Amino acid sequence: MAQTIDQADPKFVTSLKTNISGIYFQQVAQYTLPVIEKEFRKAVGDPALIDNEEFMRNLFFLVRKREVKNLHDDVWRLVSAKALKPKAQVSALKTLFALGGENDRAAVDSMVADALAELIQSGRPPESSPYFDAAERVGGVKTLIALKRMFSDAAERQRVAERKSPDNHAFISQLDKVRATLDKKVFTLSRKQQILAKPDADLTADLARLYLRRSADLGCWAYREVTHSASPTSRATVQTVVATELPSFLPVSGIAPDAREKSESDLRLRGIALLQKMGAPLSDEETSLLRKNFELMRSREPFFYPACDWEDILDRL
């Protein structure tokens, strides 16, 4: 007798076959962690759903967005089986990165680097691979080496095209776009690796600086790293940064005195909110500032208390 598959809830399945990122997440926001865990295990027992690339990509997205840590081992088994289609496999790797520890991230780095090496050998354009899009988000040292090789190749292709076909502006423009994208990816991942290689105190200070400077590419990453690894030592390090470095995060010139004063005040409140999030003891003055500016901070909550979940770090463009 054929084994009966415990079918996933049809409504759950339908909702995950469409875009659930950004503003569309509300259509799945009602699912609790236990429900996601149960429906995930039902879904991955269905070969038809495993074969549905969009569904599986969104399923892994939902797991990391909600941080369903009980599914870590289940995700590993699916990644190891190599039965997922490319976009779903990359989404699974992002989820391992989000749910796992250092060993998981090292394994993800190796898998992404291997995929990029295969891409280089194939001669396919970088943008054709979902691994390329995710590289600087989940990669490490090995991925960085692969990206640098791809950047060198892209720069050489552009030089050759400019020499041999100087009037083919559309082609050269496309090559330049790929080269610029690779340049940005190499810069971003290099910066992350440089910071992560530092001693703990220097690492924490750099993360706080990136966040307080509102780094477009690494601000959310830095915020999550510094708040999720808070310790008495890291709290003291961030307190020093907030107490002594805030004026240096503002432009040296081109800003009126009153605007500078307001910006520094906002930055100070942002730093105090960061310390509060880290569980640091606040001084009476800091507590008083939070109380006096309660309405302001509530009206600009994303600035003072950013969500910075895994979607912001691993998925947003």
Side-chain angles (χ1 to χ4, degrees), residues 136 144 147-148 180-194 215 217-218:
E136 81 282 13
L144 181 58
L147 284 174
K148 287 181 176 179
T181 299
L182 276 159
D183 190 25
K184 183 178 180 181
K185 286 179 178 291
V186 168
F187 176 82
T188 299
L189 187 51
S190 294
R191 184 77 178 106
K192 287 169 71 174
Q193 293 304 303
Q194 289 165 2
S215 167
D217 295 324
L218 296 176

Side-chain angles (χ1 to χ4, degrees), residues 22-293:
I23 61 173
Y24 302 108
F25 185 73
Q26 288 305 311
Q27 65 193 22
V28 294
Q30 75 275 18
Y31 292 117
T32 63
L33 271 61
V35 169
I36 296 170
E37 184 177 344
K38 180 179 70 174
E39 295 299 331
F40 179 96
R41 292 190 171 127
K42 290 180 185 178
V44 300
D46 186 336
L49 291 178
I50 288 283
D51 196 51
N52 188 308
E53 189 171 26
E54 184 69 9
F55 172 82
M56 292 303 297
R57 181 173 68 168
N58 286 332
L59 182 62
F60 290 121
F61 171 86
L62 179 61
V63 170
R64 66 178 173 272
K65 174 87 171 177
R66 297 299 302 276
E67 295 193 55
V68 190
K69 293 185 179 293
N70 286 346
L71 289 173
H72 169 273
D73 293 350
D74 300 76
V75 176
W76 246 122
R77 280 191 289 273
L78 286 159
V79 166
S80 301
K82 297 182 179 179
L84 298 167
K85 290 183 176 178
K87 291 179 182 178
Q89 180 80 348
V90 169
S91 189
L93 293 180
K94 288 181 179 181
T95 303
L96 280 181
F97 182 93
L99 300 184
E102 290 185 12
N103 290 338
D104 297 282
R105 294 185 178 187
V108 170
D109 177 35
S110 292
M111 286 184 271
V112 173
D114 288 346
L116 294 181
E118 188 277 328
L119 181 63
I120 293 170
Q121 290 298 319
S122 73
R124 300 193 311 274
E127 62 272 22
S128 68
S129 170
Y131 291 92
F132 176 69
D133 179 65
E136 81 282 13
R137 304 169 193 261
V138 298
V141 175
K142 294 179 180 179
T143 298
L144 181 58
I145 292 171
L147 284 174
K148 287 181 176 179
R149 164 73 186 281
M150 295 176 77
F151 173 76
S152 295
D153 291 349
E156 178 60 22
R157 282 195 298 272
Q158 184 176 348
R159 282 192 292 269
V160 170
E162 288 171 343
R163 185 176 67 251
K164 292 185 175 180
S165 308
D167 296 327
N168 194 341
H169 303 298
F171 180 55
I172 292 172
S173 176
Q174 178 59 31
L175 291 176
D176 184 61
K177 182 178 179 182
V178 173
R179 181 204 54 77
T181 299
L182 276 159
D183 190 25
K184 183 178 180 181
K185 286 179 178 291
V186 168
F187 176 82
T188 299
L189 187 51
S190 294
R191 184 77 178 106
K192 287 169 71 174
Q193 293 304 303
Q194 289 165 2
I195 293 171
L196 292 172
K198 291 185 176 184
D200 287 347
D202 294 335
L203 165 62
T204 299
D206 271 0
L207 291 173
R209 291 175 187 126
L210 275 175
Y211 168 67
L212 291 169
R213 286 187 174 120
R214 303 180 70 186
S215 167
D217 295 324
L218 296 176
C220 260
W221 170 77
Y223 181 77
R224 188 171 184 91
E225 290 288 323
V226 78
T227 56
H228 280 69
S229 58
S231 66
T233 302
S234 68
R235 293 179 190 115
T237 298
V238 175
Q239 282 175 322
T240 299
V241 171
V242 172
T244 63
E245 298 187 26
L246 295 185
S248 68
F249 300 155
L250 298 174
V252 176
S253 60
I255 181 172
D258 56 341
R260 179 179 294 277
E261 183 178 355
K262 182 181 184 307
S263 294
E264 188 170 336
S265 174
D266 285 351
L267 203 53
R268 178 163 174 75
L269 289 171
R270 198 170 197 240
I272 296 171
L274 172 61
L275 290 168
Q276 184 184 44
K277 179 71 174 179
M278 293 176 70
L282 302 181
S283 67
D284 290 343
E285 180 186 358
E286 289 169 334
T287 302
S288 177
L289 280 172
L290 290 182
R291 189 181 305 113
K292 289 178 181 177
N293 291 279

